Amino acid sequence: MAEAHSAVAFSFSITHEGWDVNFDREVLHLVWQSGIRSWKKRIARFKNNIRNGIYPAPLQSLWAIVAILAAVHFAKYGMVHTCINAILVLMPGSTLLWELLACLLLGMVVWLAIIYAVRYSLKLLLMYKGWMYEERGKGRVISTRTKIWFLFVKILSGGSRPLLYSYQGSLPRLPLPSLQETMSRYLRSVRPLLNDKDYSRMQKLAQEFQNGIGAKLQRYLVLKSWWATNYVSDWWEEYVYLRGRSPLVVNSNFYGIDAILIDSVRTQAARAAAVISICLQFRRLIERQELEPILIQGLVPLCSWQYERVFNTTRVPGVETDRIVHYMDSKHIVVYHKGRYFKVFIYFRGRILRPCEIEVQLEQILSDESLPAKGEEKLAALTAGERAAWAVARQEFFFKGLNRQSLDAIEKAAFVVALDDFPYEFDEHDPSKLDHYGQILLHGKGYDRWFDKSFTLCIGSNGRIGFNAEHSWADAPVMSHMWEYIVATELENGYSDDGRTRGTPEFTPPVPIRLQWNLLPPCIVAIEKSYQVALSLLNDVDLRAYMHSAYGKGFMKECRISPDAFIQMALQLAYYRDAGRFSLTYEASMTRLFREGRTETVRPCTIESAAWVRAMVGNTASVEERVRLLQIACRVHQMAYQDAMCGKGIDRHLFCLYVVSKYLEVDSPFLKKVLSEPWRLSTSQTPHGQTPKLDLKKYPRCISAGGGFGPVADDGYGVSYIIAGEDLIFFHITSKRSSPETDSSRFAQHIERALSDIENLFLEWRRLQQQKNHKH
């Protein structure tokens, strides 16, 4: 084994004749190359940090400033000449060399002052969010204030090409809303959910909180908002994710599906090798900070902080709280196939292996007929069970020896790859196949995904792909960005005519190393217990992946309605028909316009949406009235979404107030009531169009079918959707079979009916408008 070979690469012994030294030149050469590579990365990281620190100014601008100051000094003109003479007084000499050094020192001071003035000015400009609320498109007028703002942002952002983290220092902090604003928004959001008596009681609780303990909690939160980079994100990561003791599978991890409308290569090893290679390219772009930061409208930057932990990251279990561990580098991946784990080196002879070379390694794994060790096949079930149980098992059975080495190999891998021995199927005429595809990626068998890793890349035996991602380290848009990059790059690279990766290996790549385990009977018992927990969860998941092809974004734009608001209203109508009532609804929006921003909650169930739903269900209002109510509801929803993106949300503020109350050990009936309310309808839109590499006009069918997540409430639905094109929408609906109140297939039918009803409503409204115009 390579580990054993490395251990004896250098050895010595003492004999009666003196020292006897032995060393392996090949292994020492590998060690030397590894060290060189590490130092290269450190130097590159140092250079990038300097470039980020002075952005948007290029480094060359320093010499321009120094040259100008030197010219002014030698012309003996003005304040510059006086300042340099003052510096010369403090120097050992006054020769030409010392004068030039004085010019350099003054130039650096002036240059840094200009840079930080520009960066602070850009930060002040990015605090302005008025542009978010102005409608864009043909025939829409942008205010003069926003035009001037755009001009100044463009001027201050110019000068050099930004790196991935160039804008981090210029991003504003997430603003803290006032307590009064949040209370007012909260009460308005729950009005359609409560009868008059319950609403009056909630008003009283809110008033007591606002006038009482709330003011004190707010003061502490103000202090944190001044001191911390982001007053929400660290607590959100710790208390919502890392302190959760329930299993990750279904409850937390999410999944993403292949671009299923494109018929890709069917050879498993070739597809896996190509995708692994593209993932490693994406990792290199992040490490070198060459990945372009996402700019809204090509101008306003989003925070790139979450990209740092895409690779080389794992979630380590603890009895009371987990922790996220990120390794600066990793030279291998781990591949799971038929119950066995293989360590696959991705670097050789000073470079990353090419797809054709990785394919050779994967074919060796696929052709390996060895059997898994006792307990090895279901080992990953430990990552799918209760967190405390996994923490205890990890400490007891994996803290030293062979098990520790093998566990380290998995946790320190760039990512994990699962080569499944069954196909991932999709058929437009057989919806159950897409349902099964989603189930495979959401939970698999409960033991064939390493749920702790940042992501597990899953490859079906027919070449179809997907991923399962852990949620604590980042939000879904980051994985969606990487997934788009994979799909777009794969199209560019292509495959050979025989379904293999292009190119010929330059050498025989390192042979995959089978990880070894010593799993004792008590450990196997722990694995089985975790597997039973995971099995009960995955057997309870009712997943329905529904493809709506009647219309898509194109029709919604014709209706002059935000596509997201359009779908959210359809979901409100579908849920009301399904449950016979309104429910607290969660929609995730991002707050990455601010530094270290993650998500905020939009509450789509509003007074206006409820009024429209009642009009649709009652079927007594006229067509014009129903359209008017829908337009109002969509405008209110869009405003709420914009507010959430701009730091004016409700739920993260209330969450942080609750955390402060726990630290102070004070009880608040209001906060306890708010945070105990179940989200029976939890929704999220999968973003796309985040990479310029993906040309949807050229490849309109080159888009992922999106992904999904498990239900948040035991008696609720989890709905993820992706507006995949002008005429296509994918919905991923989950619920629990054990709940008599939910049924994912039934809810999909309600969504289909709601979308059809809205379409017919607008078509009828247009017909009536045309009739009126014809009469006139």
Side-chain angles (χ1 to χ4, degrees), residues 550-569:
Y551 65 88
K553 184 167 57 178
F555 177 76
M556 298 173 194
K557 287 179 178 177
E558 290 176 12
C559 298
R560 299 176 73 97
I561 287 179
S562 156
D564 181 70
F566 190 105
I567 291 177
Q568 284 294 334
M569 293 307 108

Side-chain angles (χ1 to χ4, degrees), residues 302-323:
L302 297 183
C303 177
S304 301
W305 160 67
Q306 296 180 47
Y307 286 88
E308 185 179 343
R309 300 186 291 188
V310 175
F311 299 94
N312 321 336
T313 301
T314 194
R315 176 169 169 169
V316 176
V319 175
E320 293 184 357
T321 182
D322 294 354
R323 57 194 174 94

Side-chain angles (χ1 to χ4, degrees), residues 686-727:
T686 303
H688 63 87
Q690 297 185 85
T691 171
K693 288 175 69 72
L694 187 58
D695 187 352
L696 292 178
K697 291 183 179 178
K698 187 176 180 181
Y699 303 105
R701 293 172 69 84
C702 177
I703 192 165
S704 165
F709 52 89
V712 174
D714 290 339
D715 57 349
Y717 294 104
V719 181
S720 176
Y721 55 93
I722 181 169
I723 305 171
E726 296 299 306
D727 299 300

Side-chain angles (χ1 to χ4, degrees), residues 478-496:
V478 176
M479 279 302 298
S480 298
H481 187 178
M482 187 186 80
W483 207 238
E484 275 187 24
Y485 181 88
I486 289 171
V487 171
T489 307
E490 189 182 17
L491 272 178
E492 291 177 358
N493 296 346
Y495 297 88
S496 62

Side-chain angles (χ1 to χ4, degrees), residues 698-749:
K698 187 176 180 181
Y699 303 105
R701 293 172 69 84
C702 177
I703 192 165
S704 165
F709 52 89
V712 174
D714 290 339
D715 57 349
Y717 294 104
V719 181
S720 176
Y721 55 93
I722 181 169
I723 305 171
E726 296 299 306
D727 299 300
L728 191 63
I729 311 167
F730 284 98
F731 292 89
H732 298 258
I733 306 155
T734 57
S735 61
K736 293 194 174 182
R737 299 181 191 277
S738 57
S739 170
E741 298 182 23
T742 57
D743 184 304
S744 295
S745 295
R746 185 183 72 210
F747 194 63
Q749 292 172 358

Side-chain angles (χ1 to χ4, degrees), residues 6 27 166 181 193 200 264 269 338 398 507 521 553 599 656 716 759:
S6 300
V27 177
S166 289
E181 287 176 328
L193 309 174
S200 178
S264 190
K338 288 187 175 180
F398 298 89
F507 45 72
K553 184 167 57 178
T599 60
C656 288
E759 179 188 24

